[in-house]
Amino acid sequence: MSTLQSFNARTGEAHGAALAPSTEQDIDRAATDAHAAFGDWARSSGEQRAALLRALADGLEAEREQLVACADLETALGPVRLNGELDRTTFQLRRFADIAQRGVPFESLDDPAVAGGPPAGHPAMVRQRMPLGPVAMFAASNFPFAFSVLGGDTASALAAGCPVVVKAHPGHPVLSQQVFAIIQGVLKAQGLPAGLIGLVQGAGVEVGVGLIRHPLIAAGAFTGSTRGGAALQAEANARPRPIPFYGELGSINPLIALPAALAAKGAELATTLAGSITLGCGQFCTNPGLLVLVDGPETEAFIPQLVEALARQQPHPMLTAGMRKAFDAGIKGFMDAGARSLLQGQGVAPAPGPQLLQVSAQRFIERHELREEVFGPSSLIVRCASLAEVNAVLAAVGGSLTVTVWGADEDTADNRAIVRSATQIAGRVLFAGVPTGVAVTAAQQHGGPWPSSTAPMTTSVGDAALERFLRPVCLQDAPAWLLARGGVPC
């Protein structure tokens, strides 16, 4: 197996000794222990689940200083961003604690018997939900707290009554081990089995593939590249007993700036957009990687404003050397496919400079390479000759986590057509602001049609993330003792 090594993200130097990757035996032990913990945890009360999630949040906060310092060394995301992300992570844990305590995982639908024959008559039925079982959770690189070991997938799965086996991301292995140590301490203090939350790690594909193939794993949750997610989804589907795989994948997040918005406040929007493109060195799944503009005087004035605003940005180093290499290759791929560079920012090594490119709508539609996600501080302008071409560009995108539409404030046929096109391809459509930043709320939808996710009916952020790990079951003419359990599995 590949060696697992922690690196200083700012210097590229190795940090500490090489770490031992998980073996087949380690993976089997983690999955087996999670399966052993499943029965009791599936039967646990909302109060017990809430107590665990709140204690995990407390544990992170108690070790904040050490965790943030380690995360900053391994990711170069900076203490301000990382402290904010840790706050979001503890918020998620406590929010799902509240959801569990309110009894949401145990909610049921009572359909009383109706006398007479079918089709109107029917037996008494109750529709409730059952936890799926152990979940393989694949941590993301770009959010070392919020989408990692104790991120939203772990929190929502635990609240649903499912154990979790985390596949740690090799971009922050030491941080992952520190968080896992906190988990182990909390589980021990609450008298819960250590296998309720397991951890495996490795730099190569072997560990992740071995985990998703394990027969005791009941579902997979993934945040990462389209290529990696597609490979794991194929493994999940190829099992003798296929399992659900919830992948949040790559997305280019089109942002449409209509002439009305640019005429009203083009310079302000340029500054806002430049900050969004370079936020976190562009390493956000909701980074606005595609800017759709309509030819005209407003666009001609806006593009120089955006170039100027972007040129002032100074991104920090990327998460890993591999990501920087992929970013450079992606920019080259755009140019090879016919895109013209408008800005080639010169970053301070090893950080990249911001990049802005431009292409015609016709070229964008013709060349699939221009629709690939380039993970980093860049965006591609697509110039449209008409509003009809805007809709054609969105149709070519196919699927995205977000679409942002600036300037559709009036109820017109053209605006309706653009909104219709946007809602057909995205899980979240914004009409103000920028897509970077995903609120953890009841109405959030973080997932869209392929290639942005593998299951566009579900979300990986927000309260509804819980639904991914619960399977509906209909109880027909159930005995009174079973109904008295109020949806709690027996």
Side-chain angles (χ1 to χ4, degrees), residues 118-471:
H122 62 78
M125 296 183 182
V126 173
R127 192 176 193 265
Q128 63 181 55
R129 297 175 297 177
M130 291 285 294
L132 292 179
V135 175
M137 200 289 284
F138 293 82
S141 61
N142 55 335
F143 283 85
F145 292 117
F147 284 83
S148 191
V149 179
L150 278 179
D153 286 337
T154 298
S156 55
L158 290 170
C162 297
V164 176
V165 179
V166 177
K167 196 287 183 177
H169 196 279
H172 46 267
V174 174
L175 175 66
S176 298
Q177 289 190 335
Q178 290 182 357
V179 173
F180 186 57
I182 293 171
I183 293 170
Q184 290 177 311
V186 170
L187 292 175
K188 183 176 181 180
Q190 295 200 354
L192 294 169
L196 183 58
I197 306 173
L199 183 80
V200 296
Q201 58 186 5
V205 301
E206 302 92 345
V207 173
V209 169
L211 181 59
I212 205 67
R213 284 178 177 175
H214 197 284
L216 296 179
I217 291 296
F222 172 89
T223 300
S225 69
T226 299
R227 181 180 177 183
L232 288 170
Q233 182 186 36
E235 292 288 350
N237 291 335
R239 291 166 40 126
R241 181 179 295 177
I243 58 174
F245 182 80
Y246 303 109
E248 187 255 279
L249 312 179
S251 183
I252 59 176
N253 305 297
L255 187 151
I256 304 158
L258 296 172
L262 299 183
K265 48 181 180 180
E268 177 185 337
L269 292 175
T271 299
T272 299
L273 182 55
S276 179
I277 292 170
T278 57
L279 183 67
C281 197
Q283 299 167 123
F284 276 60
C285 54
T286 51
N287 176 267
L290 187 70
L291 311 180
V292 185
L293 305 178
V294 182
D295 288 336
E298 298 86 357
T299 290
E300 296 301 330
F302 176 72
I303 290 177
Q305 293 170 333
L306 179 58
V307 170
E308 181 181 354
L310 266 177
R312 294 196 296 266
Q313 303 294 317
Q314 294 183 328
H316 56 69
M318 299 192 75
L319 293 163
T320 68
M323 288 183 181
R324 173 61 194 273
K325 183 178 179 181
F327 174 69
D328 292 340
I331 297 298
K332 182 179 184 301
F334 276 0
M335 298 182 71
D336 291 345
R340 179 170 65 89
S341 176
L342 299 179
L343 173 66
Q344 290 182 311
Q346 300 301 312
V348 178
Q355 307 288 317
L356 185 65
L357 303 96
Q358 177 176 280
V359 72
S360 69
Q362 181 179 356
R363 187 71 170 177
F364 177 83
I365 293 168
E366 290 173 350
R367 298 296 294 269
H368 70 87
E369 302 97 316
L370 295 169
R371 301 192 290 275
E372 297 291 331
E373 179 187 35
V374 175
F375 201 57
S378 72
S379 199
L380 174 67
I381 293 175
V382 175
R383 297 287 295 264
C384 297
S386 65
L387 293 178
E389 275 199 338
V390 171
N391 294 312
V393 165
L394 291 180
V397 170
S400 183
L401 293 172
T402 72
V403 172
T404 302
V405 184
W406 287 344
D409 300 324
E410 302 297 326
D411 184 358
T412 67
D414 287 335
N415 285 345
R416 287 187 181 190
I418 289 173
V419 171
R420 185 164 55 248
S421 295
T423 54
Q424 285 172 345
I425 72 164
R428 179 165 58 109
V429 179
L430 299 83
F431 297 93
V434 289
T436 41
V438 185
V440 182
T441 68
Q444 185 59 264
Q445 177 60 31
H446 192 58
W450 181 268
S452 64
S453 70
T454 63
M457 310 78 64
T458 68
T459 179
S460 64
V461 178
D463 298 1
L466 179 91
E467 309 295 333
R468 297 173 296 168
F469 308 117
L470 293 166
R471 177 177 60 83

